[in-house]
């Protein structure tokens, strides 16, 4: 199986964009989507407080699954059940469930309310995903586990450690999932399990399939020894090279896939452990509070290269040809992380416009404002503050600056409209604030003072 991760805790696309995206994913070789809803799920009742103002409706969730079915894609919902629960624990009514009161990252596993809340959340998500064979319970990066007062007291009383505490909580979650939906298989990240001994894992009798993000042969070996029947690998096509990264490095992500292919070829040596599937992660934020990473349309060429590399066992000529054909490009330049040609995939215009922003916006404005001697000599911050200057010298740079400003404002209006066709207003505002305004605002201010 090859699942594409849709991280909705930032820049969640409108369903109309998913209508265009799903056929593309299927065409490129995906067999499913892993959807990390977070606050985009239409929670009901007392959980309604968790919803974003732009959350999908129940009808949207149903339509997403019908779309997936139409294009032969499995839908796997992801619900974080231990760490990365800022979207829950930021709310005052759930603050008492934090492991450490100051930090909204992780649940306190010793408070009865934690499991009660998780059962409610899981129940609502599972109820809306009756078609799904899998559910992902997250469980990665449980920051500060063991630092809370309740955890320290528990470890002291039970002569236990954070590993035991972690496994106890996960068993409760998995027990609830299997009791609610017989036959539903659970996936989870493995970084917390790496710190737990093979003996402890084997003692739990975890023979059923779980999902592990593995880093190499040594880790595969320890899960084979622990009695697991199957593992999954997780690579990335975007969102792993910097919290504020706006453009994916193609060569880096391709090498990531090639590394996993080498591990995949070594899997017969770990029999009877088998590889169940791979997930191509595409993080949209590092956590609920961080800035946006690369937008999905910007990451599609990287996703296409990564998917076709996994399908073909390498970035072969056949893989390259398929990528160019499906995306409508003439060539791909891995070393420069760019693709040549107009592009014919959903969001291609945004891909090219973000390329313009990254390549020209900052540079062209800096050149105009910092290298123009007339601005430095006759229109300094002091001149602008006290509103005086010589028109003769001001006019020497005025028309050039006004033209630059007009061109970029026109470009930004177009980009804004294209972003709004795919994203909700909060995403558009945030992306513009982070990627456009820091560079365009100084030019806007200068033009205002000049006028």
């Amino acid at each position: 199986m090859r699942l594409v991760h849709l991280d909705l805790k930032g820049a969640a696309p409108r369903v109309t964009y998913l209508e265009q995206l799903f056929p593309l994913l299927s065409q490129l070789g995906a067999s499913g989507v892993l959807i990390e809803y977070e606050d985009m799920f239409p929670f009901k009742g007392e959980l309604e407080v968790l919803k974003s103002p732009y959350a999908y409706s129940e009808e949207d969730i149903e339509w997403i699954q019908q779309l997936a079915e139409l294009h032969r894609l499995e839908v796997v919902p992801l619900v974080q059940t231990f760490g990365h629960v800022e979207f829950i624990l930021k709310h005052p009514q759930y603050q008492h469930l934090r492991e450490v009161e100051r930090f909204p990252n992780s649940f306190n596993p010793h408070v009865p309310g934690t499991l009660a809340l998780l059962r409610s959340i899981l129940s609502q998500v599972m109820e809306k995903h009756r078609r799904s064979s899998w559910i992902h319970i997250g469980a990665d990066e449980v920051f500060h586990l063991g630092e809370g007062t309740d955890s320290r007291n528990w470890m002291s009383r039970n002569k236990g450690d954070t590993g035991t505490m972690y496994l106890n909580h996960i068993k409760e979650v998995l027990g609830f999932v299997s009791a609610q939906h017989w036959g539903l298989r659970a996936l989870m990240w493995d970084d917390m399990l790496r710190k737990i001994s093979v003996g402890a894992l084997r003692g739990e009798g975890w023979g059923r399939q779980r999902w592990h993000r593995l880093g190499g042969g040594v880790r595969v070996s320890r899960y084979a020894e622990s009695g697991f029947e199957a593992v999954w690998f997780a690579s990335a096509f975007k969102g792993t090279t910097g919290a504020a990264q706006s453009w994916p490095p193609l060569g880096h992500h391709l090498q990531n896939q090639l590394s996993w292919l080498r591990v995949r070829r070594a899997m017969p040596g770990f029999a009877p452990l088998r590889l169940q599937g791979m997930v191509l992660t595409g993080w949209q934020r590092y956590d609920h509070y961080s800035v946006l990473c690369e937008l999905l349309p910007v990451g599609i060429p990287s996703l296409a290269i990564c998917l076709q590399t996994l399908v073909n066992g390498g970035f072969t000529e056949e893989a390259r040809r398929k990528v160019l054909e499906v995306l409508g490009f003439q060539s791909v330049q891995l070393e420069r992380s760019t693709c040549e040609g107009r592009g014919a995939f959903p969001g291609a215009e945004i891909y090219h416009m973000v390329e313009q922003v990254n390549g020209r916006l900052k540079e062209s404005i800096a050149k105009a404002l910092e290298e123009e001697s007339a601005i430095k000599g006759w229109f300094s911050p002091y001149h602008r503050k006290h509103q005086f200057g010589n028109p003769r010298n001001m006019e020497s740079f005025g028309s050039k600056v006004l033209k630059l400003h007009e061109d970029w404002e026109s470009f930004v209006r177009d980009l804004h409209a294209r972003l709004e066709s795919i994203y909700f207003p909060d995403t558009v505002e945030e992306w513009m604030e982070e990627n456009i305004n820091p560079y365009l605002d100084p030019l806007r201010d200068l033009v205002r003072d000049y006028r």
Side-chain angles (χ1 to χ4, degrees):
M1 291 180 72
R2 289 179 293 270
L3 301 184
V4 174
H5 175 222
L6 298 177
D7 179 17
L8 305 187
K9 65 178 175 282
R14 297 177 187 271
V15 177
T16 49
Y17 185 69
L18 299 181
E19 290 172 1
Q20 303 168 64
L21 180 67
F22 282 11
L24 181 75
L25 298 183
S26 186
Q27 202 176 355
L28 288 168
S31 48
V33 285
L34 172 70
I35 305 183
E36 186 165 355
Y37 287 109
E38 199 161 278
D39 59 359
M40 288 301 293
F41 188 81
F43 291 109
K44 294 191 298 187
E46 65 176 36
L47 299 181
E48 200 167 340
V49 68
L50 304 180
K51 283 168 46 177
S52 158
Y54 302 103
Y56 294 149
S57 66
E58 292 184 33
E59 293 74 23
D60 289 335
I61 301 295
E62 175 59 26
W63 180 228
I64 288 169
Q65 292 174 90
Q66 287 181 25
L67 283 170
E69 210 165 29
L70 184 64
H71 298 289
R72 302 179 302 285
L73 297 170
E74 171 100 17
V75 173
V76 179
L78 189 157
V79 179
Q80 285 286 3
T81 57
F82 212 163
H84 283 296
V85 283
E86 300 92 358
F87 85 103
I88 300 169
L89 297 183
K90 72 179 182 180
H91 295 285
Q93 57 265 60
Y94 299 123
Q95 193 169 338
H96 66 289
L97 302 180
R98 297 177 179 183
E99 169 70 355
V100 175
E101 188 183 357
R102 286 177 58 221
F103 307 130
N105 303 72
S106 307
F107 277 124
N108 175 351
H110 309 286
V111 181
T114 291
L115 273 171
L117 177 61
L118 281 174
R119 288 184 186 121
S120 297
I121 291 171
L122 286 164
S123 293
Q124 289 198 21
V125 173
M126 288 190 292
E127 178 58 35
K128 294 297 175 191
H129 290 83
R130 290 282 181 177
R131 298 174 177 82
S132 298
S133 309
W134 303 81
I135 186 169
H136 193 309
I137 62 166
D140 61 317
E141 297 184 335
V142 188
F143 298 134
H144 310 293
L145 181 62
E147 295 177 19
T149 304
D150 290 343
S151 288
R152 290 200 302 271
N153 290 341
W154 183 91
M155 288 189 286
S156 174
R157 283 196 309 271
N158 296 277
K159 296 185 171 56
D161 57 19
T162 54
T164 306
M165 204 154 51
Y166 177 84
L167 291 179
N168 286 346
H169 178 76
I170 295 303
K171 278 194 297 183
E172 291 275 8
V173 170
L174 293 173
F176 176 75
V177 168
S178 58
Q180 291 297 300
H181 290 267
W182 185 87
L184 186 65
R185 289 171 289 182
L187 311 172
M188 59 184 287
W189 304 118
D190 89 311
D191 55 291
M192 298 297 292
L193 295 181
R194 294 175 206 167
K195 307 167 189 174
I196 299 171
S197 71
V198 167
L201 291 175
R202 191 189 296 119
E204 296 298 338
W206 280 18
R208 287 180 177 271
Q209 299 160 16
R210 301 284 178 249
W211 181 359
H212 306 286
R213 179 174 55 193
L214 308 179
V218 175
R219 290 183 188 142
V220 177
S221 174
R222 75 189 298 272
Y223 293 118
E225 292 170 29
S226 301
F228 284 84
E229 295 174 0
V231 291
W232 289 60
F233 299 158
S235 60
F237 69 92
K238 78 175 190 73
T240 58
T241 54
Q245 184 81 9
S246 61
W247 195 261
L250 298 182
H252 172 87
H253 291 299
L254 172 58
Q255 287 304 317
N256 184 218
Q257 315 311 313
L258 296 176
S259 297
W260 282 113
L261 285 173
R262 288 193 287 274
V263 182
R264 189 172 83 180
R265 286 192 284 270
M267 281 302 292
F270 302 107
L273 186 72
R274 60 190 171 80
L275 177 63
Q276 179 77 45
M278 291 194 65
V279 173
L280 290 94
T281 60
W283 305 99
Q284 195 53 73
R285 296 189 196 280
Y286 275 31
D287 69 26
H288 187 74
Y289 284 90
S290 67
V291 297
L292 294 170
C293 302
E294 307 99 309
L295 294 172
L296 188 51
V298 172
I300 282 181
S302 176
L303 174 58
I305 289 167
C306 293
L307 263 174
Q308 275 297 298
T309 296
L310 296 180
V311 169
N312 289 278
F315 194 50
T316 61
E317 275 310 305
E318 171 62 21
R320 183 187 292 265
R321 186 195 63 76
K322 179 80 168 179
V323 167
L324 295 178
E325 177 191 306
V326 172
L327 299 187
F329 285 130
Q330 273 84 55
S331 66
V332 55
Q333 308 295 330
L334 291 173
E335 60 287 347
R336 297 209 309 267
S337 295
T338 58
C339 297
E340 307 300 326
R342 287 181 60 83
F345 60 92
E349 301 88 355
I350 289 174
Y351 172 87
H352 286 302
M353 295 181 89
V354 172
E355 190 175 26
Q356 288 270 80
V357 168
N358 287 345
R360 290 188 51 243
L361 177 64
K362 182 179 179 181
E363 184 184 332
S364 68
I365 292 175
K367 188 174 181 181
L369 301 191
E370 293 168 21
E371 295 180 16
E372 176 61 65
S373 61
I375 291 178
K376 285 184 174 294
W378 281 271
F379 204 56
S380 71
Y382 185 80
H383 290 92
R384 291 164 63 185
K385 179 180 178 181
H386 294 285
Q387 298 185 354
F388 78 101
N390 187 331
R392 175 180 176 275
N393 301 93
M394 288 172 63
E395 285 171 7
S396 69
F397 66 81
S399 59
K400 193 187 332 180
V401 166
L402 291 173
K403 176 73 165 61
L404 181 69
H405 173 253
E406 182 186 329
D407 288 349
W408 276 118
E409 290 289 11
S410 173
F411 174 90
V412 166
R413 282 193 296 274
D414 190 15
L415 174 57
H416 194 284
R418 291 187 185 279
L419 287 171
E420 280 202 321
S421 71
I422 292 178
Y423 293 111
F424 297 100
D426 58 338
T427 296
V428 179
E429 180 190 4
E430 180 181 353
W431 196 88
M432 301 296 271
E433 287 281 0
E434 294 288 340
N435 297 278
I436 299 289
N437 294 351
Y439 310 113
L440 194 49
D441 279 351
L443 179 61
R444 288 166 170 157
D445 291 345
L446 185 133
V447 167
R448 180 200 63 216
D449 291 349
Y450 173 85
R451 284 182 171 143

